[in-house]
Amino acid sequence: MTDITINTCHKLRDVSPLLYGIFFEDINYAGDGGLYGELIANRSFEYYDRDGETDKSKMCWETIGNGNLSVSKRFPLSQAHSHYGRLSGEAGDGIRNLGFCGEGLAVREGEVFLFSCYARNASPMKLTVRLADSRGTCFGQKTFSLVRTGRGWTKYRLTFTADGCCNQVFPEILLETPGAVDLDLLSLFPQDTFLGRKNGMRRDLAQMLQALSPKFMRFPGGCIVEGRSFENMYCWKDTIGDLTQRPTNWNRWQMEEYQINGQVSLDYFQSYGLGFYEYFQFCEDIGASPVPVINAGMTCQWHEGLLADMNALDKWIQDALDLIEFANGPADSTWGGRRAAMGHPEPFRLKYIGIGNEQWGEVYFERYEAFQKVLSEKHPEIRLITSAGWTAEGEEFDLAYRWMNANKDKAYAVDEHFYKSPRWFLENIHRYDSYDRSLPKVFAGEYAAHTHENTGERVCNWEAALCEAAFLTGLEHNADHVVMSCYAPLFGRTGHQQWQPDLIWFDNHSAYGTPSYYVQKLFANHVGDVLVETRISEDGETLSGLAKIAGKSLQVSSTLSENGLRLYVKLVNLADTPKEVRLCPDQPISHCTFHEIAAGLEAVNSHETPENVSPRVSEPLPRDGSLLLTCEPYSVNVLELDL
Ligand code: AHR
């Protein structure tokens, strides 16, 4: 029997209110083809060939019957949407969109869809939009009339309802009358987006993020912020305003070198329909503090590592200043006005900005300082986050810490990334115990336990999640200094990922959380405001396996709510044997909820068995002021105690 005594009167450290958050990057089709609710791929015929070898403007589209589709730039919709499609043919001819990854979309009976497009035609005509499977069976359609527009464009909006269920249908646009029509920004959304927002997010995926109760969201990347060239780097200003004003950018994760299992993602682009306004709004909707990451005037250091000249950084620094105005400025300021015009006159309450993503070296810190000088002077209220580079030790990491030692006041926090083996997570449970509290705080901005690294498989299994859970107890012990943390990456589109493991997997009609998802959810939803003293009796056991690596079977953390009425106790059992535990807080327990996840180390979730590894909940009764529990082998146990 292991005795655990909790002294709630002995408060050890504050727990950062932002400890658990999320990190969103459009990798693995997380944005376009994922969280962003748009169902038409290459909706504006703007896909392009970055090498100038193949015409991609018609990618994701095919013709129906004898229909002809040509792409032109002669009289475009806007500068940002400089291409458009011309459909011509006889009645019944048309075009079909293949959807993201060529997988179309799923429909459920009664589901309402919003279709819109810009059209231009020389004579009145009729079009039909419909959803049909590969055999031509129709699952919902609507016919609409086009007025004669001459040289101008007219926007059409309509709704229609699916009259059956199918896991794979494709949007089709058919001519009802012979002729020709120019089309641009063809868009199809489910009406039922997250919170019903227009241009909104896929509801099930957004809800899974909301269920994590993230206290912040880091966005939009990741390497995507840096890009592979100056043109490819993420520019937030391209992502706001009317959709007709947002240019398309190729997604750096479409590069062949990132493809897993030989799959190709050459149709992976950023429409920027999911842009900075949508990110800020989503943060507000789910109660997360926005943490945008901006480009520090350098492209990805893993690849080209192009550097903006130190004398030419003004453009990037101005972008950062404008971003602060966009988020927080009054509605009558230039950028605050852009926000207000999009429907949000109130500020978005931006408090944190990451300068650069995963940057390292002198070249980074000299650029960081140029940003910091201006931003700290003009916006002392904004907390700046610097980067410790791509890994949590080694030359570049040490350099970052040397820089911080010499520049303690120039950053609020440093972003540390660690994609490591499960063993590393166990060996590093106490990593932060000895960190110098006078240095900038720590933001564990990207991490995940990578199993089977030698074969490249990196399975999202229980071993990874269990070791992450043990590590997180260590973060809770140091949450005065490690103020933010988030797992990465967030999403993977099944069969089309460029990176794994990922926290949430989805296809067109379903989504599931990995074991790591359930650990994140349990930890984030059950954490107090202050760490309290916890004593564990030694039972003289012989350690083996994971417990031996960690130096102990049970990893424990106890945190108390600010009002002292709720105690959260986390017990991670790394042993392959059960642990009988007697838990004795120094105050009477009036109610207890017990969440436990236990599984074999190789256990995984899947689309077929989404909750194979997930929490069981019970309400054990306290006896004589204590609780008797069994912590199963390889288990994560969270107790929510009302005192
Ligand atoms: O999370 C995947 C990638 O890992 C991120 O884009 C980058 O910051 C890191 O290298």
mmCIF file of all heavy atoms in Angstrom, residues 305-330:
data_model
loop_
_atom_site.group_PDB
_atom_site.id
_atom_site.type_symbol
_atom_site.label_atom_id
_atom_site.label_comp_id
_atom_site.label_asym_id
_atom_site.label_seq_id
_atom_site.Cartn_x
_atom_site.Cartn_y
_atom_site.Cartn_z
ATOM 1 N N GLY A 305 16.850 28.823 -45.273
ATOM 2 C CA GLY A 305 17.330 29.753 -44.248
ATOM 3 C C GLY A 305 17.629 31.143 -44.790
ATOM 4 O O GLY A 305 18.641 31.760 -44.421
ATOM 5 N N LEU A 306 16.745 31.652 -45.657
ATOM 6 C CA LEU A 306 16.973 32.993 -46.228
ATOM 7 C C LEU A 306 16.760 34.043 -45.147
ATOM 8 O O LEU A 306 15.869 33.917 -44.305
ATOM 9 C CB LEU A 306 15.995 33.249 -47.382
ATOM 10 C CG LEU A 306 16.007 32.208 -48.506
ATOM 11 C CD1 LEU A 306 14.890 32.493 -49.500
ATOM 12 C CD2 LEU A 306 17.366 32.218 -49.195
ATOM 13 N N LEU A 307 17.579 35.093 -45.196
ATOM 14 C CA LEU A 307 17.498 36.119 -44.159
ATOM 15 C C LEU A 307 17.158 37.464 -44.774
ATOM 16 O O LEU A 307 17.790 37.883 -45.752
ATOM 17 C CB LEU A 307 18.846 36.237 -43.441
ATOM 18 C CG LEU A 307 19.348 34.979 -42.741
ATOM 19 C CD1 LEU A 307 20.761 35.198 -42.226
ATOM 20 C CD2 LEU A 307 18.412 34.608 -41.590
ATOM 21 N N ALA A 308 16.207 38.155 -44.178
ATOM 22 C CA ALA A 308 15.956 39.540 -44.589
ATOM 23 C C ALA A 308 17.128 40.356 -44.072
ATOM 24 O O ALA A 308 17.621 40.105 -42.962
ATOM 25 C CB ALA A 308 14.652 40.033 -43.982
ATOM 26 N N ASP A 309 17.566 41.287 -44.869
ATOM 27 C CA ASP A 309 18.669 42.133 -44.456
ATOM 28 C C ASP A 309 18.288 42.879 -43.170
ATOM 29 O O ASP A 309 17.149 43.298 -43.004
ATOM 30 C CB ASP A 309 18.928 43.132 -45.596
ATOM 31 C CG ASP A 309 20.276 43.762 -45.440
ATOM 32 O OD1 ASP A 309 20.357 44.800 -44.740
ATOM 33 O OD2 ASP A 309 21.229 43.199 -45.982
ATOM 34 N N MET A 310 19.246 43.039 -42.279
ATOM 35 C CA MET A 310 18.958 43.725 -41.018
ATOM 36 C C MET A 310 18.416 45.137 -41.263
ATOM 37 O O MET A 310 17.633 45.646 -40.483
ATOM 38 C CB MET A 310 20.220 43.792 -40.149
ATOM 39 C CG MET A 310 20.572 42.499 -39.447
ATOM 40 S SD MET A 310 19.253 41.911 -38.359
ATOM 41 C CE MET A 310 19.273 43.144 -37.070
ATOM 42 N N ASN A 311 18.852 45.757 -42.354
ATOM 43 C CA ASN A 311 18.373 47.116 -42.646
ATOM 44 C C ASN A 311 16.999 47.116 -43.301
ATOM 45 O O ASN A 311 16.432 48.174 -43.538
ATOM 46 C CB ASN A 311 19.339 47.839 -43.607
ATOM 47 C CG ASN A 311 20.711 47.905 -43.010
ATOM 48 O OD1 ASN A 311 20.832 48.158 -41.815
ATOM 49 N ND2 ASN A 311 21.726 47.644 -43.823
ATOM 50 N N ALA A 312 16.500 45.928 -43.614
ATOM 51 C CA ALA A 312 15.217 45.870 -44.321
ATOM 52 C C ALA A 312 14.148 45.208 -43.452
ATOM 53 O O ALA A 312 13.135 44.739 -43.953
ATOM 54 C CB ALA A 312 15.400 45.096 -45.620
ATOM 55 N N LEU A 313 14.390 45.186 -42.140
ATOM 56 C CA LEU A 313 13.433 44.496 -41.267
ATOM 57 C C LEU A 313 12.176 45.322 -40.982
ATOM 58 O O LEU A 313 11.198 44.803 -40.432
ATOM 59 C CB LEU A 313 14.090 44.146 -39.928
ATOM 60 C CG LEU A 313 14.952 42.891 -39.884
ATOM 61 C CD1 LEU A 313 15.483 42.688 -38.483
ATOM 62 C CD2 LEU A 313 14.153 41.659 -40.317
ATOM 63 N N ASP A 314 12.225 46.609 -41.355
ATOM 64 C CA ASP A 314 11.099 47.493 -41.015
ATOM 65 C C ASP A 314 9.750 46.943 -41.458
ATOM 66 O O ASP A 314 8.760 47.079 -40.755
ATOM 67 C CB ASP A 314 11.296 48.873 -41.666
ATOM 68 C CG ASP A 314 12.454 49.597 -41.025
ATOM 69 O OD1 ASP A 314 13.068 49.007 -40.117
ATOM 70 O OD2 ASP A 314 12.748 50.722 -41.443
ATOM 71 N N LYS A 315 9.741 46.351 -42.637
ATOM 72 C CA LYS A 315 8.461 45.822 -43.162
ATOM 73 C C LYS A 315 7.872 44.792 -42.202
ATOM 74 O O LYS A 315 6.686 44.813 -41.879
ATOM 75 C CB LYS A 315 8.692 45.192 -44.543
ATOM 76 C CG LYS A 315 7.501 44.429 -45.075
ATOM 77 C CD LYS A 315 7.888 43.561 -46.250
ATOM 78 C CE LYS A 315 7.212 42.213 -46.318
ATOM 79 N NZ LYS A 315 6.079 41.884 -45.521
ATOM 80 N N TRP A 316 8.736 43.889 -41.708
ATOM 81 C CA TRP A 316 8.267 42.821 -40.819
ATOM 82 C C TRP A 316 7.861 43.396 -39.455
ATOM 83 O O TRP A 316 6.871 42.992 -38.871
ATOM 84 C CB TRP A 316 9.355 41.755 -40.642
ATOM 85 C CG TRP A 316 9.418 40.802 -41.795
ATOM 86 C CD1 TRP A 316 8.713 39.630 -41.925
ATOM 87 C CD2 TRP A 316 10.190 40.933 -42.991
ATOM 88 N NE1 TRP A 316 9.014 39.018 -43.116
ATOM 89 C CE2 TRP A 316 9.922 39.793 -43.801
ATOM 90 C CE3 TRP A 316 11.082 41.883 -43.468
ATOM 91 C CZ2 TRP A 316 10.522 39.586 -45.039
ATOM 92 C CZ3 TRP A 316 11.674 41.681 -44.712
ATOM 93 C CH2 TRP A 316 11.387 40.556 -45.483
ATOM 94 N N ILE A 317 8.652 44.358 -39.004
ATOM 95 C CA ILE A 317 8.341 44.962 -37.702
ATOM 96 C C ILE A 317 7.034 45.752 -37.800
ATOM 97 O O ILE A 317 6.189 45.688 -36.901
ATOM 98 C CB ILE A 317 9.515 45.846 -37.223
ATOM 99 C CG1 ILE A 317 10.744 44.949 -37.009
ATOM 100 C CG2 ILE A 317 9.154 46.592 -35.948
ATOM 101 C CD1 ILE A 317 12.027 45.670 -36.658
ATOM 102 N N GLN A 318 6.857 46.421 -38.933
ATOM 103 C CA GLN A 318 5.599 47.159 -39.119
ATOM 104 C C GLN A 318 4.415 46.184 -39.159
ATOM 105 O O GLN A 318 3.347 46.469 -38.609
ATOM 106 C CB GLN A 318 5.670 47.984 -40.420
ATOM 107 C CG GLN A 318 4.520 48.979 -40.576
ATOM 108 C CD GLN A 318 4.429 49.963 -39.408
ATOM 109 O OE1 GLN A 318 5.423 50.537 -39.007
ATOM 110 N NE2 GLN A 318 3.228 50.129 -38.848
ATOM 111 N N ASP A 319 4.606 45.049 -39.789
ATOM 112 C CA ASP A 319 3.538 44.028 -39.813
ATOM 113 C C ASP A 319 3.153 43.627 -38.393
ATOM 114 O O ASP A 319 1.981 43.402 -38.085
ATOM 115 C CB ASP A 319 3.996 42.777 -40.570
ATOM 116 C CG ASP A 319 3.825 42.928 -42.076
ATOM 117 O OD1 ASP A 319 3.309 43.973 -42.515
ATOM 118 O OD2 ASP A 319 4.227 41.999 -42.802
ATOM 119 N N ALA A 320 4.159 43.530 -37.517
ATOM 120 C CA ALA A 320 3.892 43.147 -36.126
ATOM 121 C C ALA A 320 3.122 44.263 -35.419
ATOM 122 O O ALA A 320 2.148 44.003 -34.685
ATOM 123 C CB ALA A 320 5.201 42.857 -35.400
ATOM 124 N N LEU A 321 3.527 45.502 -35.651
ATOM 125 C CA LEU A 321 2.811 46.630 -35.030
ATOM 126 C C LEU A 321 1.370 46.684 -35.543
ATOM 127 O O LEU A 321 0.427 46.889 -34.772
ATOM 128 C CB LEU A 321 3.527 47.947 -35.358
ATOM 129 C CG LEU A 321 4.904 48.127 -34.713
ATOM 130 C CD1 LEU A 321 5.612 49.355 -35.292
ATOM 131 C CD2 LEU A 321 4.783 48.249 -33.196
ATOM 132 N N ASP A 322 1.222 46.469 -36.841
ATOM 133 C CA ASP A 322 -0.128 46.510 -37.421
ATOM 134 C C ASP A 322 -0.991 45.360 -36.890
ATOM 135 O O ASP A 322 -2.201 45.510 -36.719
ATOM 136 C CB ASP A 322 -0.046 46.451 -38.952
ATOM 137 C CG ASP A 322 0.598 47.707 -39.540
ATOM 138 O OD1 ASP A 322 0.672 48.730 -38.824
ATOM 139 O OD2 ASP A 322 1.052 47.658 -40.704
ATOM 140 N N LEU A 323 -0.336 44.246 -36.627
ATOM 141 C CA LEU A 323 -1.090 43.116 -36.083
ATOM 142 C C LEU A 323 -1.647 43.478 -34.700
ATOM 143 O O LEU A 323 -2.803 43.154 -34.379
ATOM 144 C CB LEU A 323 -0.189 41.874 -35.981
ATOM 145 C CG LEU A 323 -0.834 40.661 -35.310
ATOM 146 C CD1 LEU A 323 -2.044 40.173 -36.099
ATOM 147 C CD2 LEU A 323 0.174 39.518 -35.147
ATOM 148 N N ILE A 324 -0.843 44.140 -33.908
ATOM 149 C CA ILE A 324 -1.317 44.536 -32.573
ATOM 150 C C ILE A 324 -2.494 45.499 -32.720
ATOM 151 O O ILE A 324 -3.497 45.391 -32.005
ATOM 152 C CB ILE A 324 -0.160 45.160 -31.753
ATOM 153 C CG1 ILE A 324 0.939 44.113 -31.549
ATOM 154 C CG2 ILE A 324 -0.661 45.691 -30.414
ATOM 155 C CD1 ILE A 324 2.236 44.642 -30.950
ATOM 156 N N GLU A 325 -2.385 46.391 -33.714
ATOM 157 C CA GLU A 325 -3.504 47.332 -33.923
ATOM 158 C C GLU A 325 -4.732 46.585 -34.450
ATOM 159 O O GLU A 325 -5.859 46.879 -34.052
ATOM 160 C CB GLU A 325 -3.090 48.440 -34.895
ATOM 161 C CG GLU A 325 -4.156 49.517 -35.032
ATOM 162 C CD GLU A 325 -3.682 50.687 -35.867
ATOM 163 O OE1 GLU A 325 -2.816 51.441 -35.392
ATOM 164 O OE2 GLU A 325 -4.187 50.838 -37.001
ATOM 165 N N PHE A 326 -4.495 45.613 -35.324
ATOM 166 C CA PHE A 326 -5.632 44.838 -35.844
ATOM 167 C C PHE A 326 -6.363 44.130 -34.696
ATOM 168 O O PHE A 326 -7.592 44.100 -34.642
ATOM 169 C CB PHE A 326 -5.132 43.801 -36.863
ATOM 170 C CG PHE A 326 -6.217 42.904 -37.403
ATOM 171 C CD1 PHE A 326 -7.173 43.389 -38.277
ATOM 172 C CD2 PHE A 326 -6.279 41.561 -37.023
ATOM 173 C CE1 PHE A 326 -8.186 42.560 -38.767
ATOM 174 C CE2 PHE A 326 -7.281 40.724 -37.514
ATOM 175 C CZ PHE A 326 -8.230 41.231 -38.393
ATOM 176 N N ALA A 327 -5.584 43.593 -33.758
ATOM 177 C CA ALA A 327 -6.202 42.828 -32.678
ATOM 178 C C ALA A 327 -6.785 43.739 -31.600
ATOM 179 O O ALA A 327 -7.889 43.489 -31.098
ATOM 180 C CB ALA A 327 -5.173 41.892 -32.050
ATOM 181 N N ASN A 328 -6.049 44.780 -31.252
ATOM 182 C CA ASN A 328 -6.423 45.538 -30.047
ATOM 183 C C ASN A 328 -6.800 46.986 -30.298
ATOM 184 O O ASN A 328 -7.315 47.654 -29.398
ATOM 185 C CB ASN A 328 -5.234 45.549 -29.061
ATOM 186 C CG ASN A 328 -4.939 44.173 -28.488
ATOM 187 O OD1 ASN A 328 -5.704 43.233 -28.690
ATOM 188 N ND2 ASN A 328 -3.843 44.038 -27.784
ATOM 189 N N GLY A 329 -6.512 47.515 -31.497
ATOM 190 C CA GLY A 329 -6.709 48.945 -31.742
ATOM 191 C C GLY A 329 -8.176 49.318 -31.787
ATOM 192 O O GLY A 329 -9.051 48.480 -32.010
ATOM 193 N N PRO A 330 -8.457 50.606 -31.560
ATOM 194 C CA PRO A 330 -9.847 51.054 -31.625
ATOM 195 C C PRO A 330 -10.415 50.913 -33.041
ATOM 196 O O PRO A 330 -9.666 50.876 -34.020
ATOM 197 C CB PRO A 330 -9.758 52.530 -31.213
ATOM 198 C CG PRO A 330 -8.336 52.922 -31.350
ATOM 199 C CD PRO A 330 -7.506 51.671 -31.233
#
